[in-house]
Amino acid sequence: MKLSTLQQSYINRRTNSFRGSTQLDSSTDGAVKSPATIFWLVLHGVCCLISLVLGFRFSRLVFFFLFSTSSNNIYTVPFNSDAGITIPVETQLNHINSLNRTAVVASRVVVGRHGIRIRPWPHPDPVEVMKAHGIIERVQKEQKALFGVKNPKTVIAVTPTYVRTFQALHLTGVMHSLMLVPYDLIWIVVEAGGVTNETASLIAKSGLRTIHVGFHQRMPNSWDARHKVESLMRLHALRIVRKERLDGVVMFADDSNMHNMELFDEIQNVKWIGAVSVGILLHSVDAAEISSLVQKEGEEDTMPMPVQGPACNGTDKLVGWHTFNSLRYSGKSAVYIDDRAPVLPRKLEWSGFVLNSRLLWKDVDDKPEWIKDLDALDGDGEEIENPLSLLKSTTVVEPLGSCGRHVLLWWLRVEARTDSKFPARWIIDPPLDITVPSKHTQWPDAPPELPSNDEKEKVFAGTEEQSNKHTTKTKTSRSRRSRSKRKHDTKVIGVQVSTHSEQTEI
Amino acid sequence: MGIWKSCFLGFLSVAFLFTIDAVQLHRNQPTERISGSAGDVLEDDPVGRLKVFVYELPSKYNKKILQKDPRCLAHMFAAEIFMHRFLISSAVRTLNPEEADWFYTPVYTTCDLTPNGLPLPFKSPRMMRSAIQLISSNWPYWNRTEGADHFFVVPHDFGACFHYQEEKAIERGILPLLQRATLVQTFGQRNHVCLKEGSITIPPYAPPQKMHTHLIPDKTPRSIFVYFRGLFYDVGNDPEGGYYARGARAAVWENFKNNPLFDISTEHPATYYEDMQRAVFCLCPLGWAPWSPRLVEAVVFGCIPVIIADDIVLPFADAIPWEEIGVFVDEQDVPKLDTILTSIPPEVILRKQRLLANPSMKQAMLFPQPAQAGDAFHQVLNGLARKLPHERSVFLKPGEKSLNWTAGPVGDLKPW
């Protein structure tokens, strides 16, 4: 019994690829209890106790040194086992047992306890890390070449813009997204109110091939009218595509939208006209207001964010459209650009559509017959809200992004007050010398109606005149101080954003 | 009439072109074939090149054992069972033993499992011995050659040494009765007692369906540099370390646990297969035995295997050029593993990935049910076919005997 329980525990120790053994031979059956076995048991127990004390398997050592009958056993000096510090120790030679075996060539691989080799500084070497990243990059490049898009088409991005305070903010964002696109890109920037140096200087930094054109109308002040003018500007850009016979995929990158880089990979798959899902980011002055709006509806719409895009049935065929339901926000939406209310998109936004540029060309043989000619739409009475109006039937639209399940871009409209001013090209030249620390001004924190019209530094003009009276004495020293406080100054008198909740305060 | 003739000829030629695969209809990853003796050999068809006779053993040697514990079909030693099933329905099987080139004995020696699912080899030598006694007494073919034209599948840790612990396995050596037979085993290490010359090394069994359900799209970029999941210290059996894996796994852990390029840990995540497909290198270090199913997984998932096992003999080494596909690192060089891997030129890495992408490579590592062309079963048969024709010395002259039926430990001689 004892023997079998030992065998039992021996077997039970085979939890994870068990390989240890006790000193007993692996005799399988026959619970023979002889004095020899009892002796071995007792010895085993004693060795166990000693091992408990010493902390390593003493018994194994004893056995192998005293009774080495097994062949090919090697032993290293049993190393210090406390705190897990292991000394790299070289292995000793093996003893080959030539007991009736065919001559085995001494292999350099030996069984037994080996030292654990640890190098003196087991930490990553930065040069090697960089090399590894280079390897990974090369592997990924190869993967892209093999499994990515073959024959990538040029991306033609159409952006309507106009000069205003937030133009630099939005346009820089779009510009950097477009600079990251791994395909050839043509950027058509249509500017309301004519070409200006402001915009030109912004887009010149991109290094992309740009076509910068002006549009004869100025951007109006109400969102509704602004949407209409933007549509006209986009059509103007499409006419340029037609005239120049640009070849590629046309996508509409509004300057305040945010794009996922996968969007550009996905639109390469479009054949004629495709639609992607667009997430609509609505915000208002009070975030609480929006959430209360949502909660009022109850369980109707559990979508945390409205999404516009193609709707598919189970077999991934286009059956309809998810559009924006503006009824919930009726009465609470912004009308003018300055308003502090959520800005609503149209039912379906332009940015959710991509077109093959050949659809727009004149005199192309293989153009499908469901596309209306651009010239035919020239009447201004025609309200083009989205590219679906260019089609005779909307069933031909291809849903992209796994049938609209991936939201690949986000629509947002955020603008400053129309009368807000900013330094031209965001360069402050000559340097300001406001000298009064902000908290010592007599003006209240909420800015009153602003004075208007001149070019540079109008914001600071008022303060400058007044403050100069106070500080003519120690201009230099004060100005040094004021330079650091300038930030505060600009903030106090700074722009008030119509749709942002918090006041920009110090 | 002439038009019909030319049409028919045209059709025939097109059909011919398609069959010889001169025209590739589908877009694949460009794979590389190692032309010459190594790569093309994987696609050889063994049918017609050899004949195998399967002995009808009583079901206590195979079916009854399987019935007692059906877990044998899913563990990494399941190859012996699937090999039997493949052979009895294969085209190379012959029912006439006189014309057979090879004889197969279906005895499932690795199916005696512990409650945890690990096989105990204690009864295996007796089982094998009993089976051989049976075939030698009921058929004359064993005695004719003393087993030299017989083959046995012994997929256990150390093959026909029938023990899981290396020292004990070496002490036992290969079962004396199997001295002249061909062994088909997973274990392979050069200059080791348990690897007989002329053995065929096979990969351990890995479930093909399970792996195929975890495939991710090819264009998912490979962003992990080195990947490994498994034990570094076998705390239950070797707490101090140094014994398990000859200290190599512990060395990997100690040297690279702080290295962000090495995604190594003992956790077993649910996305194990998916993660392997996102890695460039997969470590395949030895454990208690040098072979491991990680090699199969790495090949199937296109991750370059980094083999850390001195003198290992990899599966189908005569058909697969492992040096060109994997990276071999000596156990003593483990501390320099990061230097070794980062100094491999990218072109070499891309070439290895192309070789791994070869579908015949992946197929050769698997044991699909039912068997498919080019899979591991066929590679085993190819290996057996390459050993034909048998030398004249295989057939014993009358009176000549070389097997010692009473050799080996006393415990083995007990009947089973």
Side-chain angles (χ1 to χ4, degrees), chain A residues 410-426:
Chain A
W410 294 270
W411 180 96
L412 172 70
R413 290 289 181 264
V414 172
E415 294 299 343
R417 286 171 58 122
T418 28
D419 51 355
S420 74
K421 304 284 184 277
F422 63 99
R425 303 199 200 175
W426 290 94

Side-chain angles (χ1 to χ4, degrees), chain A residues 213-486:
Chain A
V213 289
F215 193 66
H216 49 85
Q217 260 186 290
R218 289 186 66 101
M219 197 61 93
N221 203 19
S222 76
W223 286 108
D224 223 15
R226 185 180 149 167
H227 277 121
K228 289 199 177 74
V229 171
E230 276 182 2
S231 303
L232 290 174
M233 286 159 71
R234 291 189 188 102
L235 285 174
H236 186 66
L238 292 182
R239 285 193 195 96
I240 295 177
V241 170
R242 186 169 67 159
K243 195 171 80 156
E244 310 277 337
R245 288 178 91 82
L246 298 175
D247 193 13
V249 178
V250 179
M251 49 103 44
F252 300 98
D254 299 344
D255 56 3
S256 53
N257 287 356
M258 274 136 285
H259 308 90
N260 187 342
M261 284 300 121
E262 291 175 24
L263 170 71
F264 299 100
D265 295 325
E266 192 64 27
I267 61 179
Q268 295 284 335
N269 299 332
V270 79
K271 198 161 169 298
W272 288 115
I273 174 164
V276 291
S277 285
V278 183
I280 305 295
L281 299 175
L282 293 173
H283 59 93
S284 75
V285 176
D286 295 315
E289 204 183 291
I290 279 281
S291 55
S292 66
L293 258 176
V294 174
Q295 274 159 15
K296 252 187 256 166
E297 306 301 308
E299 320 82 29
E300 253 182 47
D301 200 337
T302 53
M303 278 267 268
M305 175 182 85
V307 171
Q308 279 181 358
C312 295
N313 64 5
T315 54
D316 285 348
K317 290 254 179 309
L318 182 74
V319 292
W321 301 95
H322 291 297
T323 61
F324 184 74
N325 177 15
S326 41
L327 293 177
R328 289 150 113 218
Y329 304 93
S330 56
K332 296 199 185 74
S333 70
V335 175
Y336 292 100
I337 290 186
D338 302 351
D339 286 349
R340 299 158 63 153
V343 182
L344 303 180
R346 304 284 98 167
K347 280 217 163 333
L348 283 174
E349 279 288 330
W350 279 83
S351 35
F353 292 91
V354 288
L355 316 164
N356 187 339
S357 62
R358 284 171 195 250
L359 282 179
L360 306 161
W361 289 4
K362 255 195 278 207
D363 310 326
V364 174
D365 287 333
D366 54 349
K367 222 162 71 158
E369 32 84 55
W370 40 256
I371 183 85
K372 294 184 200 159
D373 198 44
L374 264 188
D375 287 337
L377 311 165
D378 252 335
D380 271 355
E382 186 98 32
E383 153 91 9
I384 307 279
E385 208 186 79
N386 52 53
L388 290 180
S389 318
L390 293 172
L391 309 176
K392 289 182 194 142
S393 103
T394 57
T395 50
V396 292
V397 178
E398 303 148 40
L400 299 173
S402 74
C403 215
R405 279 188 280 272
H406 289 162
V407 173
L408 294 172
L409 70 153
W410 294 270
W411 180 96
L412 172 70
R413 290 289 181 264
V414 172
E415 294 299 343
R417 286 171 58 122
T418 28
D419 51 355
S420 74
K421 304 284 184 277
F422 63 99
R425 303 199 200 175
W426 290 94
I427 295 173
I428 301 177
D429 185 36
L432 301 175
D433 40 24
I434 302 299
T435 55
V436 181
S438 57
K439 274 302 184 196
H440 297 166
T441 59
Q442 66 256 50
W443 298 285
D445 284 354
E449 282 306 304
L450 301 167
S452 54
N453 290 359
D454 304 335
E455 277 306 298
K456 284 195 209 181
E457 297 165 2
K458 301 319 152 280
V459 187
F460 311 105
T463 55
E464 204 177 326
E465 279 150 60
Q466 312 232 1
S467 61
N468 274 343
K469 289 190 203 133
H470 298 279
T471 62
T472 35
K473 293 178 257 186
T474 50
K475 231 188 196 173
T476 42
S477 58
R478 284 281 189 97
S479 60
R480 230 178 284 130
R481 192 164 33 114
S482 75
R483 227 154 285 218
S484 58
K485 299 236 195 256
R486 202 175 291 149

Side-chain angles (χ1 to χ4, degrees), chain B residues 104-178:
Chain B
Y104 173 64
T105 318
V107 50
Y108 301 165
T109 51
T110 345
C111 205
D112 179 18
L113 303 185
T114 66
N116 280 329
L118 291 163
L120 287 177
F122 303 128
K123 298 199 189 130
S124 311
R126 291 161 54 205
M127 203 200 298
M128 185 64 84
R129 215 186 132 76
S130 155
I132 295 176
Q133 272 170 335
L134 194 78
I135 60 175
S136 63
S137 46
N138 290 1
W139 287 275
Y141 308 104
W142 177 271
N143 291 325
R144 171 169 86 159
T145 57
E146 289 217 305
D149 53 357
H150 289 58
F151 72 93
F152 295 84
V153 180
V154 282
H156 195 240
D157 298 352
F158 288 97
C161 292
F162 292 121
H163 209 279
Y164 45 77
Q165 200 216 340
E166 191 166 358
E167 286 144 333
K168 283 274 178 293
I170 293 172
E171 188 189 330
R172 295 181 56 96
I174 296 181
L175 197 69
L177 287 178
L178 294 174

Side-chain angles (χ1 to χ4, degrees), chain A residues 14 16-19 21 28 57 101 108-109 113-114 117 119 122-123 128 136 138 140 143 146-147 150, chain B residues 29-30 118-119 122 157 164-165 171 218 220-222 237 240-242 246 255 258 288 335 338-339:
Chain A
R14 282 199 79 168
N16 338 311
S17 63
F18 161 56
R19 288 299 175 272
S21 91
T28 55
R57 258 189 231 157
R101 302 260 182 272
R108 65 188 177 118
V109 183
R113 189 172 298 284
H114 294 240
R117 294 178 177 87
R119 66 187 193 205
H123 292 285
E128 280 165 18
I136 294 178
R138 182 73 189 82
Q140 288 186 0
Q143 277 186 284
L146 290 171
F147 307 113
K150 313 267 189 272
Chain B
Q29 177 176 354
L118 291 163
F122 303 128
D157 298 352
Y164 45 77
Q165 200 216 340
E171 188 189 330
D218 277 327
T220 316
R222 286 187 189 262
N237 303 303
E240 304 105 12
R246 297 197 274 267
N255 282 298
N258 295 319
W288 286 108
D338 54 350
T339 316

Side-chain angles (χ1 to χ4, degrees), chain B residues 146-215:
Chain B
E146 289 217 305
D149 53 357
H150 289 58
F151 72 93
F152 295 84
V153 180
V154 282
H156 195 240
D157 298 352
F158 288 97
C161 292
F162 292 121
H163 209 279
Y164 45 77
Q165 200 216 340
E166 191 166 358
E167 286 144 333
K168 283 274 178 293
I170 293 172
E171 188 189 330
R172 295 181 56 96
I174 296 181
L175 197 69
L177 287 178
L178 294 174
Q179 251 179 15
R180 287 167 62 91
T182 297
L183 298 173
V184 177
Q185 58 190 47
T186 47
F187 171 75
Q189 187 175 309
R190 284 192 282 275
N191 304 322
H192 196 279
V193 173
C194 298
L195 180 69
K196 205 161 83 75
E197 209 203 300
S199 302
I200 297 175
T201 335
I202 58 171
Y205 176 74
Q209 298 92 341
K210 189 168 165 213
M211 290 200 281
H212 285 135
T213 51
H214 285 272
L215 287 174

Side-chain angles (χ1 to χ4, degrees), chain A residues 7-8 10-30 55-58 60 64 69-75 79 81 84 86 90-91 97 99-102 104-125 127-144 146-151 265-266, chain B residues 27-30 114-116 118-123 126 156-158 163-168 170-173 179 189-193 218-225 231 233-244 246-248 250-252 254-261 277 280-281 288-289 310-311 330-339 341-344 346 349-350 353-354 414:
Chain A
Q7 185 187 334
Q8 222 29 47
Y10 175 49
I11 289 168
N12 285 340
R13 285 209 287 155
R14 282 199 79 168
T15 46
N16 338 311
S17 63
F18 161 56
R19 288 299 175 272
S21 91
T22 63
Q23 291 67 33
L24 299 173
D25 273 36
S26 57
S27 51
T28 55
D29 43 11
F56 56 84
R57 258 189 231 157
F58 166 78
R60 180 182 279 282
F64 276 118
T69 50
S70 37
S71 61
N72 280 7
N73 67 29
I74 304 78
Y75 238 87
F79 38 76
S81 59
T86 50
E90 290 309 306
T91 62
N97 183 4
L99 234 209
N100 218 5
R101 302 260 182 272
T102 52
V104 176
V105 177
S107 112
R108 65 188 177 118
V109 183
V110 289
V111 187
R113 189 172 298 284
H114 294 240
I116 301 174
R117 294 178 177 87
I118 306 178
R119 66 187 193 205
W121 177 248
H123 292 285
D125 174 39
V127 172
E128 280 165 18
V129 172
M130 283 322 295
K131 274 202 251 181
H133 282 288
I135 291 175
I136 294 178
E137 218 178 282
R138 182 73 189 82
V139 166
Q140 288 186 0
K141 199 168 111 180
E142 186 73 17
Q143 277 186 284
K144 220 177 158 87
L146 290 171
F147 307 113
V149 179
K150 313 267 189 272
N151 309 320
D265 295 325
E266 192 64 27
Chain B
R27 273 139 126 250
N28 284 333
Q29 177 176 354
T114 66
N116 280 329
L118 291 163
L120 287 177
F122 303 128
K123 298 199 189 130
R126 291 161 54 205
H156 195 240
D157 298 352
F158 288 97
H163 209 279
Y164 45 77
Q165 200 216 340
E166 191 166 358
E167 286 144 333
K168 283 274 178 293
I170 293 172
E171 188 189 330
R172 295 181 56 96
Q179 251 179 15
Q189 187 175 309
R190 284 192 282 275
N191 304 322
H192 196 279
V193 173
D218 277 327
K219 63 180 171 109
T220 316
R222 286 187 189 262
S223 46
I224 303 175
F225 193 60
L231 290 176
Y233 292 93
D234 187 350
V235 186
N237 303 303
D238 176 32
E240 304 105 12
Y243 218 111
Y244 178 56
R246 297 197 274 267
V252 168
E254 298 296 341
N255 282 298
F256 300 112
K257 60 187 177 196
N258 295 319
N259 197 324
L261 295 172
Q277 293 169 76
V280 177
F281 290 105
W288 286 108
D310 287 346
D311 283 351
D330 285 344
E331 287 163 31
Q332 64 186 16
D333 289 334
V334 164
K336 295 187 275 186
L337 189 60
D338 54 350
T339 316
L341 292 180
T342 52
S343 58
I344 304 178
I349 292 181
L350 291 176
Q353 289 189 324
R354 279 197 296 273
K414 298 199 180 83

